[in-house]
Structures are given as C-alpha cells and as structure tokens.
Amino acid sequence: MNFSRRHFIGAVTGLASAAVLSACGSNSGGVETGSSASPSAGGSGKLVQWYHEYGEQGTKEAVQRYAKAFKGADVTVKWNLGTDYMTLLATTLLSGNGVPDVFESENGATLDMIQKGQVADLTDTLGDDASKFSKPVLDRMTYQGKVYALPQVVDMQMLYYRKSVLEKAKVDPPKTFADLVTAAKAVKTNAMGGFFAGNDGGLSVLANLLIWSAGYDQLNSDDTDLGFMESNFLDGVNAYRDFYASGALLPSASKDWFDGSPFINGETAMQWTGLWALGDIKKKWGDDFGVLPFPAIGSAGRQAVPFGAYGSCAAAKGSSNNLAVAKEFIKWLWLDQTDKQVDFANSYGTHIPSQPALVSQASQISSGPGKEAAEFVDKLGHASGLLWTSTISDAFNAALTNVVKKKANAQTEFAAVQKTAQSELKRIKK
C-alpha cells in the first residue's frame, strides 16, 4: 500500500472525507502520461482517463491494458504521480483546462463536484444493475438519489486477533467493546500488548468507529445536525478513555496501525489494521489468527467496519467533449468487464471487488478471513458521508482527544462540536 492509499482508507474513519475540497493549490507531484490505446475499428473519438498513483506493481500496466481493449474510443490513461491527487483533480475541474473525461475519485464524486455540476449523473448508465454492487459502497457514491460514480475496488479495515493467545487466556473473540477490554487485559503480558490501533492510542483511525459502533450515524436523517448526541455514544467515549488509561491498550509499537508488523512481530495479541496486511499475516501465523469487525459499543451498539472505494466518474465537460462515450466506457469497465474487475482487485495487492458476486473469483479473499472481510463490508460497512467535512471532522477529533487524553467532559466537548456542525451544515447545504 503506498502512502496515498493508506491516507485514503485512514481518512474514511478518523479524518474527514474529501467532501468539500478547496479549489486552491497546485500540482505538487509529477504527472506521467500512459500510452494511448491503439485505434480500434468503429472507434468514436478519444477519451482521457485519470488515475492516482497506485503503489502496487503492475497496476499501471493493467489499467492501460484495460483501456486498450475498449472498442468505443481511443482511451489515453494518465497516471498522476505524487500524493496530492485529489487536490490536483479539484483544481483541474475548477479551471476547466485539461479536464479528464473519466477519472477516479475517493469514495466517488465530492460534494463540491456535484454542486458545481462538474460530474455527470450516472444513474441511467447504471440502470437496473444497482443490486450488483455492495449496497454500502454504492450508497456512498449516491447523492439525493442520483449515482455519480461506479465503484472500482474496495479497501477496508478490521480487527486481527491471535486465536491461540485468546484461547490460552480463556477469553472469546470480542463481539462487544466490553469484551474487547476484557480480552485485552487478559492477554496482555510484559512482552506483548493486548490491543493496538495506532501510535496515538487509536484516536485517529478509530474515531468515527466510536459513532458507528455505538449504533449511530455521523449526521441525522435530514443532514442538519449530528446524529450521535446520545448517552450510548458519550458513554462509549468515556469507556474508551478508561481503556486508554488501563494499560491494556498498547500505546505505541514499531510501526503505526496501517502496517501489520506489530501483530506479525508478536508485539500485540490484537491489532486494528487493513485488509492489505492479510497476506503477510497469513504467511506468519497460518491459521492461528482470526478477523472481526469493530465490536458493538453499549446496549444500542452494532459491529462495524470502515471501507474506502475509489469510484469512476465522468466529467460533465471533459476535454474530449464525448460524454456519452465516457459513460459507455465506465459501464463497460466497471460493470460489464467482470474479469478485469477481478484482476484489478486480486492481482495487485489484496482488495475486494465492488460486486459481491465476484468475491469467489478473487483467490486471495475467496475463503477464510478474506471472505469474512468482504462480508463485513457488505453487511457492516460504513464510510464518512459527503457532508462530513474537514471542519466537522477536525472539531470532532479535537473533542475526542480532549476527552480521552485530557479527561475533559464528554458532554461539554461534543456539545461544542454540535454547534460547529450545525453552522457548517447550514453553510454547505444548497
């Protein structure tokens, strides 16, 4: 996993989604243009397709190969180097210069793109095939009943645990947060931590999970206020504060949460990290590990996992001025070409196809913990919503830090977040 992918899937939980991007800034990374597709019989023009820089070897060549196979147009793949892809994309769409016809975007189109009319409505392109996609993933790419992106591939996070270690301590794999605390305390030794979720005590990557696992959504049903200002959430934050101070939570490790090394090296009996670590963990521990969603918090809680999925969008006014063919290409690649979708998810790292029916064809996740992970996304998946802006997210994270690390009053801290959110939502809703 290269940095930008780690940053993206981390942003799904603890940080803001790319909901409202600033239109300022410049391209700080290099840009490399991939080879153009060769002319095909019956071709109807040209298209330019953008990707961010994937770190997995072979991905660039694969997407160029897919583009070349499309018979409806000559497709040029542009491979954007560097980690500032979303800012580059926002700036380009705003300027109107060199706008790609087809591009990928984190969890689909941003609110800015939709409100400014920069992306095309793909609802009719999808047609009656919505049920082929994982519902939580497609829902994240839908706004006010309209679909603005087709999902490409899914990444997610989950809890890994050592089966033999929990069995020796005579504790079950945790289904509730209380179970997690009990298990972490039982398995902790002088040489091994009980649970690890990052070198900040898990506050960044688990932040929004404290909302979802308490049984709530980030915002209320009409997107005018926070959706979690209830006692079960506040009690859950206080419970995490106590867990943080208990000594059973490993405060730091050799690597941060996104690297499976602490779990692989035996620094912790349980770790929160990504699906991308599955292969290395399996090589180390064989069958001596299991995976779980984040446990339910309190009596109103539910198990949950976060996911991140790049979505393929069509620019409303792409440089090639060929919107109809751009929509056709997106449908061809991300709906109809299931063999290419399996290849994209399975051959370059460990990912989940966005169509659940394809999971059995992806060898890395067709059985065992990988299959369980795919089922977690489809049944328990969450992602930060379009209106969960950086302003709200920053206020939320600051409040959580104050409660957990500084022992501030949870009710007071999140009441201040509520005021910030109400003001921000009024500002951005149109």
Side-chain angles (χ1 to χ4, degrees):
M1 247 348 224
N2 67 327
F3 175 78
S4 63
R5 298 288 293 287
R6 290 176 186 155
H7 174 78
F8 167 43
I9 190 64
V12 170
T13 46
L15 307 175
S17 68
V20 181
L21 286 172
S22 169
C24 61
S26 60
N27 176 19
S28 59
V31 176
E32 181 178 329
T33 303
S35 60
S36 173
S38 24
S40 42
S44 55
K46 299 179 181 294
L47 295 176
V48 175
Q49 181 187 25
W50 274 23
Y51 288 91
H52 80 286
E53 181 189 9
Y54 286 74
E56 296 87 353
Q57 186 175 1
T59 311
K60 177 183 175 182
E61 291 75 16
V63 298
Q64 289 176 339
R65 187 169 64 249
Y66 306 155
K68 190 172 183 178
F70 181 60
K71 302 302 182 184
D74 296 338
V75 183
T76 298
V77 171
K78 192 170 186 181
W79 194 254
N80 292 281
L81 302 179
T83 60
D84 207 13
Y85 171 78
M86 289 300 291
T87 299
L88 170 63
L89 179 60
T91 304
T92 303
L93 290 172
L94 185 66
S95 72
N97 298 319
V99 174
D101 304 284
V102 177
F103 58 87
E104 61 177 5
S105 183
E106 295 175 359
N107 278 334
T110 69
L111 186 63
D112 245 13
M113 295 175 192
I114 295 169
Q115 290 182 336
K116 287 181 168 62
Q118 297 169 339
V119 287
D121 177 3
L122 300 180
T123 308
D124 291 340
T125 303
L126 180 61
D128 297 328
D129 290 315
S131 62
K132 292 184 178 181
F133 291 95
S134 175
K135 187 178 186 303
V137 177
L138 186 61
D139 283 351
R140 178 57 181 80
M141 302 188 184
T142 303
Y143 182 64
Q144 296 182 343
K146 296 181 179 180
V147 178
Y148 288 96
L150 263 60
Q152 297 180 176
V153 69
V154 182
D155 288 315
M156 54 86 69
Q157 302 163 11
M158 57 188 169
L159 191 159
Y160 292 81
Y161 67 93
R162 288 282 307 284
K163 291 179 179 179
S164 61
V165 174
L166 268 64
E167 288 170 1
K168 183 177 179 180
K170 297 181 179 180
V171 290
D172 294 325
K175 294 182 179 180
T176 69
F177 185 73
D179 292 342
L180 177 64
V181 174
T182 297
K185 290 179 178 179
V187 299
K188 178 186 178 296
T189 67
N190 290 335
M192 181 175 63
F195 174 72
F196 177 68
N199 289 327
D200 64 350
L203 293 184
S204 60
V205 72
L206 299 180
N208 286 329
L209 279 162
L210 298 181
I211 298 173
W212 298 323
S213 293
Y216 306 110
D217 295 323
Q218 291 170 319
L219 304 177
N220 63 5
S221 59
D222 59 2
D223 294 326
T224 59
D225 201 351
L226 298 180
F228 53 86
M229 286 298 290
E230 305 288 343
S231 60
N232 200 60
F233 165 74
L234 297 173
D235 289 346
V237 171
N238 287 330
Y240 196 84
R241 176 200 62 202
D242 295 340
F243 185 37
Y244 179 85
S246 71
L249 181 71
L250 184 65
S252 62
S254 59
K255 298 289 184 179
D256 213 336
W257 70 270
F258 48 76
D259 192 311
S261 295
F263 187 74
I264 293 168
N265 296 338
E267 297 172 58
T268 182
M270 296 182 285
Q271 180 177 340
W272 186 263
T273 187
L275 175 65
W276 53 86
L278 179 64
D280 290 337
I281 289 173
K282 191 179 296 185
K283 287 179 185 177
K284 174 66 177 182
W285 297 119
D287 294 330
D288 187 22
F289 77 96
V291 295
L292 292 168
F294 195 79
I297 296 174
S299 58
R302 62 192 173 190
Q303 293 177 312
V305 297
F307 66 81
Y310 275 87
S312 185
C313 304
K317 296 181 180 179
S319 296
S320 300
N321 195 28
N322 212 346
L323 179 56
V325 180
K327 290 182 177 182
E328 178 188 338
F329 176 59
I330 290 173
K331 179 180 183 296
W332 175 84
L333 182 54
W334 299 115
L335 178 61
D336 301 333
Q337 298 295 299
T338 55
D339 60 330
K340 295 176 178 59
Q341 293 161 35
V342 172
D343 179 59
F344 189 64
N346 196 52
S347 301
Y348 318 101
T350 306
H351 314 289
I352 302 171
S354 58
Q355 298 186 41
L358 303 180
V359 169
S360 62
Q361 300 178 40
S363 59
Q364 296 191 61
I365 60 169
S366 60
S367 62
K371 182 180 180 181
E372 291 180 65
E375 292 172 350
F376 293 161
V377 170
D378 203 35
K379 297 175 182 178
L380 308 170
H382 296 268
S384 289
L386 276 167
L387 276 67
W388 187 256
T389 69
S390 58
T391 297
I392 301 174
S393 176
D394 290 347
F396 178 85
N397 285 359
L400 181 63
T401 298
N402 287 341
V403 174
V404 173
K405 290 190 173 182
K406 301 178 182 179
K407 302 188 184 304
N409 180 273
Q411 177 72 51
T412 302
E413 290 293 321
F414 288 102
V417 177
Q418 186 172 31
K419 290 182 179 179
T420 298
Q422 290 169 347
S423 176
E424 175 72 351
L425 291 168
K426 185 177 180 180
R427 180 187 71 82
I428 64 173
K429 286 188 68 178
K430 297 179 182 179

